[in-house]
Amino acid sequence: AIINSENINKNHFKKTQLDTLKNIAKIIGNKIKNAIDSKEHHIAQKKLLQSEERLRMLISSLKTGLLFEDENRKIVLTNSKFCEMFEIQAKPEQLVGADCSNAASQSMHLFENPNEFVERINHILEKKETVLSDEVLMVNGKILERDFIPLFNQDNYLGHLWNYRDVTLEKNFAKSLDVQRQKYSNIIANMNLGLLEVNNKDEILMCNQSFLKMAGYTENELMGKKAGLIFADKDSQNKIKIETQKRLNGYSNSYEISVKNKNKENRTWLISGAPNYNLNGDLIGTIGIHLDITENKKLQLEKDQLVNILKIKNEELSEYAQIVSHDLKSPLRHISAISSWIKEDNQEHLKPASLEHFMHLDKTLEHMEELISGVLKYSSINTETLTDESVNLNQVLNTLINTLYIPEHVTVEIKNKLPTLHIDKTKIQQLFQNLLQNAITHNDKEKGLIQIGYNVKNNDHIFFIKDNGIGIEKQYHEKIFKIFNYVTKNKNSTGIGLAIVKKIIDVYGGKIWLESELNKGTTFYFTLNKAMV
């Protein structure tokens, strides 16, 4: 539409300009004739000179190259723009009376097709017929359009007028527009989204190939038809009317509707539409982009059903873990109580070996209770509702250092200030407690050292806990984060702590890894996603 409007304006400009030039040429011709026929030749010649001067002033101001030749191809009039176009060094007034018979040959080197340029001029002069918008290409890349206007007085040939215009900019602009139009036409025709244009009466004006594929119809079957009546049921038709009215009021919108294609298959379309205006700003209809989301809706429904099933299963597992924990701990407590009673009742009769056996029994019972508590914590991490709050990790670490049993030969250092995170306080305490306890438990050095540090990178908080303990072989770097996987036979290890750590980190979109060297120590690194904390 823009290009058509430009062409109309351009043609109107050309017509007005040509009419002006014709009138100028006629005036010149009439002045010449009147001067010849007039008895008062001297007076007429003076008036003619005055008229020519006015015409020269007018012509010199034109932005087109103008050349007026008489019937013998002698220059009557030209202007500066013409001299500039043809790289002529002389001034326009110096060219008056010059012979143009060989001028084309002298200027032919300026044009991309020199011989064709000369031959075309000779052909036009021979026919003496009006030629408009004749296009020629110059070596320097410029594009010229020329008009040839022969001048007659009745049957007498008076000469002709050449008019040259530099149309390089508008030609390149039109070409660029055409390329862009073609590019976007190809995109629209081949994109996977269905495009539909309708008028204010909901009658289909245009649809692309993707829409035809979605609908199952041919273009001829849809043109001029009302889109809502073809595809939608009554409920969807009412929805389309409401949404279309919004567009007609100037609003863009998106909505889902249920439709039937040509094969009467039930489909779900997501439609995103906007009002469509013409160049004058008048609303002429709407344009809608359509996406078939039928399969996505099915997958979403299956996903929702699966999530509900998993939610129920998790609740059942949580309840089961609580029941199992209670049912397992009760016998352990009974065994522990009976063991204590037997030991108390027979204290004087028990041998040292028997007392040692009772001590091992108590230790085993404590270890089993720790295992049961660990399993319960591990199973409940994903099912518990997180209570995120502002937590100062410096305070959390200070509390842990003061409450955990840390042997005198082990030193814990916090290397730099830790951040305040929006996180579940209990979970972050469990995380650091298990990592600290792991570092303490597996430290065999006379002077144990545990260092805690923090950094931030891109979208992650990065923490590390470094120790100078026994180290971990490379083959166990992945296994230790799985429940009940032991690296050592340490009696205080349950094989659950690091599994709990991994699970908490997963909940907050992070990851954990380690670097270790046997007998020199281990560094655990873990991240927490900044967007989640």
Side-chain angles (χ1 to χ4, degrees):
I2 293 171
I3 292 172
N4 290 336
S5 176
E6 289 178 353
N7 287 337
I8 292 169
N9 292 332
K10 177 181 172 184
N11 291 334
H12 177 72
F13 172 77
K14 284 183 180 178
K15 184 177 183 303
T16 303
Q17 188 182 49
L18 288 174
D19 290 342
T20 301
L21 293 173
K22 284 181 178 179
N23 290 332
I24 291 171
K26 285 180 180 179
I27 290 170
I28 293 173
N30 289 332
K31 290 294 181 182
I32 293 172
K33 184 176 181 299
N34 291 336
I36 294 172
D37 295 341
S38 175
K39 293 181 180 179
E40 300 176 354
H41 179 71
H42 180 71
I43 297 173
Q45 188 175 20
K46 185 177 180 181
K47 290 182 178 180
L48 177 62
L49 291 173
Q50 292 174 345
S51 177
E52 284 181 350
E53 183 61 27
R54 287 194 293 270
L55 288 172
R56 283 193 184 93
M57 294 294 295
L58 173 63
I59 290 170
S60 64
S61 65
L62 294 176
K63 292 185 179 181
T64 61
L66 200 67
L67 176 65
F68 181 34
E69 300 173 349
D70 64 16
E71 68 276 16
N72 299 314
R73 296 208 63 193
K74 304 292 185 182
I75 295 179
V76 176
L77 192 65
T78 186
N79 65 353
S80 299
K81 193 66 179 178
F82 180 84
C83 295
E84 179 188 327
M85 286 179 173
F86 285 85
E87 300 181 3
I88 298 172
Q89 301 301 319
K91 293 181 179 180
E93 55 269 21
Q94 294 174 330
L95 297 177
V96 175
D99 190 349
C100 291
S101 301
N102 298 317
S105 299
Q106 295 171 0
S107 301
M108 61 189 294
H109 66 281
L110 298 174
F111 295 89
E112 197 169 279
N113 299 303
N115 294 328
E116 184 180 324
F117 172 72
V118 174
E119 290 172 2
R120 178 64 175 155
I121 288 178
N122 293 334
H123 176 73
I124 292 173
L125 290 171
E126 183 180 347
K127 296 192 72 174
K128 292 185 175 58
E129 294 177 354
T130 299
V131 175
L132 302 178
S133 300
D134 192 45
E135 187 176 297
V136 289
L137 303 178
M138 301 189 75
V139 174
N140 60 10
K142 288 185 178 181
I143 304 171
L144 302 182
E145 270 189 1
R146 64 186 169 193
D147 303 321
F148 174 81
I149 304 169
L151 302 173
F152 292 91
N153 183 13
Q154 296 180 354
D155 293 332
N156 296 322
Y157 181 63
L158 302 178
H160 49 262
L161 187 68
W162 292 100
N163 182 41
Y164 286 85
R165 295 179 302 279
D166 187 340
V167 294
T168 309
L169 188 61
E170 60 186 274
K171 285 287 184 180
N172 289 339
F173 181 68
K175 184 179 179 181
S176 176
L177 280 180
D178 190 56
V179 170
Q180 292 296 322
R181 181 178 60 184
Q182 187 62 41
K183 181 177 77 171
Y184 288 111
S185 295
N186 290 336
I187 292 173
I188 289 171
N190 297 293
M191 67 182 182
N192 291 326
L193 298 172
L195 186 69
L196 188 69
E197 180 183 350
V198 300
N199 60 20
N200 291 331
K201 297 179 181 179
D202 196 36
E203 295 170 341
I204 297 173
L205 303 177
M206 186 275 291
C207 52
N208 69 348
Q209 192 60 39
S210 294
F211 184 84
L212 296 175
K213 186 177 179 181
M214 288 169 55
Y217 290 88
T218 65
E219 187 174 1
N220 291 334
E221 290 174 323
L222 294 181
M223 289 299 102
K225 303 294 194 306
K226 291 197 174 186
L229 298 179
I230 296 177
F231 305 107
D233 55 26
K234 288 186 178 180
D235 291 337
S236 294
Q237 286 175 12
N238 292 331
K239 190 171 186 178
I240 290 173
K241 287 180 181 178
I242 294 171
E243 299 298 336
T244 299
Q245 189 59 48
K246 291 180 183 177
R247 292 190 205 172
L248 295 177
N249 290 333
Y251 296 99
S252 300
N253 53 7
S254 296
Y255 56 94
E256 294 179 15
I257 61 168
S258 298
V259 300
K260 288 184 182 291
N261 61 17
K262 187 177 181 180
N263 296 327
K264 304 303 179 185
E265 298 170 332
N266 292 318
R267 311 297 294 178
T268 302
W269 288 353
L270 174 63
I271 303 175
S272 180
N276 187 22
Y277 301 94
N278 63 14
L279 291 176
N280 298 322
D282 300 322
L283 185 67
I284 58 174
T286 65
I287 295 177
I289 294 176
H290 300 66
L291 177 64
D292 191 327
I293 58 171
T294 308
E295 300 305 320
N296 300 64
K297 295 289 285 186
K298 288 179 181 178
L299 290 174
Q300 184 63 46
L301 181 61
E302 292 174 2
K303 179 184 174 182
D304 293 342
Q305 292 173 343
L306 182 59
V307 168
N308 288 331
I309 292 171
L310 289 174
K311 184 178 179 181
I312 294 170
K313 292 297 181 184
N314 282 333
E315 290 173 354
E316 291 175 351
L317 285 172
S318 180
E319 292 175 3
Y320 178 73
Q322 297 284 350
I323 293 168
V324 168
S325 174
H326 179 270
D327 290 348
L328 288 176
K329 283 185 176 181
S330 293
L332 289 178
R333 293 192 181 104
H334 285 308
I335 293 172
S336 179
I338 292 170
S339 172
S340 297
W341 295 337
I342 293 173
K343 188 166 59 174
E344 289 174 5
D345 292 343
N346 299 279
Q347 186 75 35
E348 297 177 357
H349 306 289
L350 292 174
K351 296 179 182 180
S354 298
L355 290 173
E356 189 174 346
H357 292 326
F358 273 106
M359 184 182 68
H360 285 310
L361 178 61
D362 290 340
K363 290 286 184 181
T364 303
L365 291 172
E366 288 177 10
H367 187 65
M368 289 186 67
E369 187 163 355
E370 288 176 1
L371 280 173
I372 294 169
S373 298
V375 170
L376 180 61
K377 288 179 181 178
Y378 181 80
S379 64
S380 63
I381 287 174
N382 287 339
T383 58
E384 288 180 352
T385 302
L386 299 175
T387 307
D388 292 340
E389 57 183 300
S390 183
V391 179
N392 187 322
L393 296 188
N394 299 286
Q395 296 176 0
V396 170
L397 265 295
N398 288 332
T399 301
L400 286 175
I401 291 169
N402 291 327
T403 55
L404 284 175
Y405 170 68
I406 302 175
E408 292 183 0
H409 72 283
V410 176
T411 302
V412 179
E413 294 180 354
I414 300 177
K415 299 293 290 181
N416 54 353
K417 187 177 179 180
L418 303 179
T420 295
L421 303 180
H422 193 71
I423 198 169
D424 188 290
K425 188 173 183 178
T426 302
K427 292 291 181 285
I428 199 68
Q429 285 176 336
Q430 285 180 342
L431 191 158
F432 278 104
Q433 180 176 331
N434 281 300
L435 287 173
L436 278 173
Q437 192 64 60
N438 181 76
I440 294 168
T441 301
H442 298 96
N443 200 304
D444 60 345
K445 302 297 188 295
E446 290 184 8
K447 291 186 177 181
L449 178 62
I450 300 172
Q451 296 176 315
I452 302 168
Y454 164 77
N455 197 357
V456 62
K457 184 177 180 182
N458 298 332
N459 296 320
D460 290 319
H461 296 283
I462 304 174
F463 301 87
F464 71 83
I465 297 180
K466 181 179 181 180
D467 65 65
N468 63 340
I470 61 175
I472 303 172
E473 291 184 62
K474 183 73 174 178
Q475 63 188 28
Y476 297 112
H477 285 195
E478 297 291 335
K479 294 180 180 179
I480 59 174
F481 297 112
K482 296 179 180 178
I483 194 167
F484 299 133
N485 272 266
Y486 298 88
V487 177
T488 66
K489 297 298 182 182
N490 192 299
K491 61 183 180 180
N492 295 320
S493 179
T494 63
I496 299 176
L498 292 178
I500 290 174
V501 167
K502 173 73 164 59
K503 207 167 184 183
I504 293 172
I505 291 171
D506 287 344
V507 168
Y508 287 100
K511 60 181 180 177
I512 184 168
W513 70 97
L514 66 137
E515 295 175 359
S516 183
E517 189 174 349
L518 283 178
N519 299 319
K520 289 190 176 182
T522 301
T523 303
F524 283 90
Y525 296 91
F526 70 90
T527 66
L528 298 175
N529 192 300
K530 290 171 69 175
M532 302 183 70
V533 294

